[in-house]
Structure formats: C-alpha cells, structure tokens
C-alpha cells in the first residue's frame, strides 16, 4: 500500500477529478477532506459508503482510503500535523476541550461516514473551507492569523457534530474527570434553561442538587451560576461582534430578563457595556 508523505505542517488545496487515479493509501499527517460538489463512494479502512456535496471526512495517519467517482467531484483538502493543531488550536483551549479534541484525533474507530450531520453546519463548514482555501493562497497582511482562525472554526464545528454521537459522547465522558464533564455539559447546554436547572443538572451526573453546587464551587472556586453566566458572556461577545442582533435580541436569546439586566451583568464581568464593547471591537462582516 502506498504511503503519501507531506513535509509541511499545514496545507490547503483543492482538486477536481472525473476519475480517481490515486491508489489505496495512507499518510504521515491528518487530513480533512471536504466534498465541494460531486458524488461517488469512499473506501476507508475496508468500508465503503457513498459521498455527496457537503460531506466531510477526517482521516488519521493510519487510515487507508481511496475514492470511486460517479459524478465529477471537487475535493478541498486540509492537511495538518499534531504540531500544527497543538500550536494553532489547542494551546489556549480549556483542558476539557483539549481532551475532547485529542480523543477525536486519536480514536481510530468512530468516524467513517461524513463527520458533519447537521445541515446548517454542513453549509457553514463548506463556506469556511472555501474561504480558508482562498486565504491560504494569499500573501496579505495577517493571512496566517486568519487562516488559523478559520481552521479553528472548522475544527470546532467538527467537534460539535462529533459530540452529537452518543457512542462518542460516552467514550469522551469516560476520559474526562467529573468536574470537566460538568463544565463541558454546562458549556454546550448553557442556552437551555431546563437543562441548566440545578435539579436537572444534578440528575444528569447522579448527584444531589446541594452536593453538585458544593462540588463545583470547591473544585473551581466558582458557583454553577457563575459558570453559566461566564459562558453566556462569551456567547454574547461573539454575537455582538459577529451578528446583526441588537442588544435586546441578544439579551432575549441568552435568557436574560431584559436588556437592562443583560447590560448590568455584562458590565460586571467585562467592566464595559455591551454597546461600548461592540463599538470598540468593530469587525468587517462579510456582505
């Protein structure tokens, strides 16, 4: 079996083929393959399944694969190494998220068909991949930073979709400590008020409502409510910079009583009002 060797830590390119002419092979790197258009079959580690536009495949170095093309297909390739994902994605991430990503990258068993099931995420990841492909080929100011941020967004969408698989979620739960699992659960469900009720949170982790509150405070120094607010504030920052929602809409979507309550909490944590934060961090939004 052929082994394809790449000496770059990160590479992005696209190819379009009517006939697949690369023999069954593996690599010395990780590879994300995004189907921009076309259809056919993907043969991965002895398993064959169909592919179509928007499918995303994560291949690890030991994975062996090839394609059979039915309709002319355009592939976008993102190739990266352990070193690149550590330096540009994991370095500043919280410990529980690091473990989730590392498990996804290391586990050989659970992603065969497309890693992205959510329709909206499929659309967004394809758009991000196209932008990444363009940006990677540019020599403009800050293109490396933009490339790294785009890659980070793609990986995060991949993680979110991976976590919707119950088998994978169970594997990850076994790898994380109890406090890491509680904080991760809060992070991904923070906008669901029912799941954030103390009694339901306690039930999820087979603890009493009183004890889970004491446990989280003892382990982290912050109460459950403080963690919920912190995650909401982080979400608010993203919405302020990346959406056209006004303050009232953001307050409502994040479950605050009203805009006044949202302003007060945001200013407590950030020492600046939401409108001042948005004004001081203006970004160029895509048209």
């Amino acid at each position: 079996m052929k082994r394809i060797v790449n000496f770059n830590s990160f590479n992005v390119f696209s190819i379009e083929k009517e006939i697949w002419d690369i023999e069954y092979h593996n690599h010395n790197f990780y590879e994300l393959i995004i189907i921009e258009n076309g259809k056919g079959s993907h043969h991965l580690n002895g398993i064959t399944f169909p592919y179509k536009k928007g499918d995303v495949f994560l291949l690890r170095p030991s994975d062996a694969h090839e394609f059979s093309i039915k309709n002319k297909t355009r592939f976008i390739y993102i190739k990266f190494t352990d070193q690149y994902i550590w330096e540009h994605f994991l370095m500043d991430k919280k410990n529980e998220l690091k473990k989730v990503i590392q498990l996804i990258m290391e586990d050989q068993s659970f992603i065969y068909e497309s890693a992205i099931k959510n329709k909206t995420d499929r659309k967004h990841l394809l758009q991000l991949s196209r932008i990444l492909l363009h940006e990677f080929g540019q020599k403009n100011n800050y293109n490396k930073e933009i490339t790294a941020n785009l890659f980070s967004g793609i990986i995060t969408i991949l993680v979110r979709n991976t976590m919707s698989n119950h088998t994978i979620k169970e594997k990850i739960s076994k790898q994380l400590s109890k406090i890491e699992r509680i904080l991760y659960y809060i992070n991904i469900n923070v906008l669901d008020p029912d799941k954030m009720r103390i009694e339901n949170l306690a039930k999820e982790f087979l603890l009493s409502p009183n004890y889970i509150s004491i446990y989280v405070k003892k382990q982290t120094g912050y109460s459950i409510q403080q963690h919920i607010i912190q995650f909401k504030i982080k979400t608010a920052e993203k919405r302020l910079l990346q959406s056209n929602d006004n303050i009232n809409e953001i307050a409502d979507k994040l479950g605050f009583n009203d805009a006044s309550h949202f302003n007060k909490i945001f200013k407590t944590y950030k020492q600046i009002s939401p409108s001042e934060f948005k004004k001081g961090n203006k970004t160029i939004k895509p048209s």
Side-chain angles (χ1 to χ4, degrees), residues 64 80 119 131 163 187 212 226 246:
F80 56 95
K119 289 183 179 180
I131 299 169
M163 286 301 293
N187 189 9
I212 194 171
Q226 284 175 312
N246 60 40

Side-chain angles (χ1 to χ4, degrees), residues 172-185:
I172 289 171
S173 292
K174 290 177 180 178
Q175 295 290 324
L176 300 178
S177 69
K178 182 173 288 185
I179 188 60
E180 288 171 337
R181 284 188 282 127
I182 292 172
L183 294 180
Y184 190 81
Y185 184 85

Side-chain angles (χ1 to χ4, degrees), residues 81-130:
T81 62
D82 281 319
Q83 181 181 356
Y84 185 87
I85 200 168
W86 174 261
E87 291 178 352
H88 294 82
F89 188 70
L90 291 180
M91 191 76 76
D92 61 346
K93 294 296 182 291
K94 290 191 173 182
N95 192 47
E96 65 269 19
L97 184 54
K98 285 183 184 178
K99 288 189 177 182
V100 171
I101 295 166
Q102 287 171 336
L103 184 62
I104 290 171
M105 304 312 294
E106 293 167 5
D107 195 307
Q108 304 293 319
S109 64
F110 57 64
I111 301 179
Y112 281 94
E113 297 183 356
S114 178
I116 308 295
K117 300 297 184 185
N118 181 276
K119 289 183 179 180
T120 301
D121 282 349
R122 286 168 68 90
K123 179 181 176 181
H124 289 169
L125 192 142
L126 181 55
Q127 291 173 334
L128 287 174
S129 300
R130 287 167 172 161

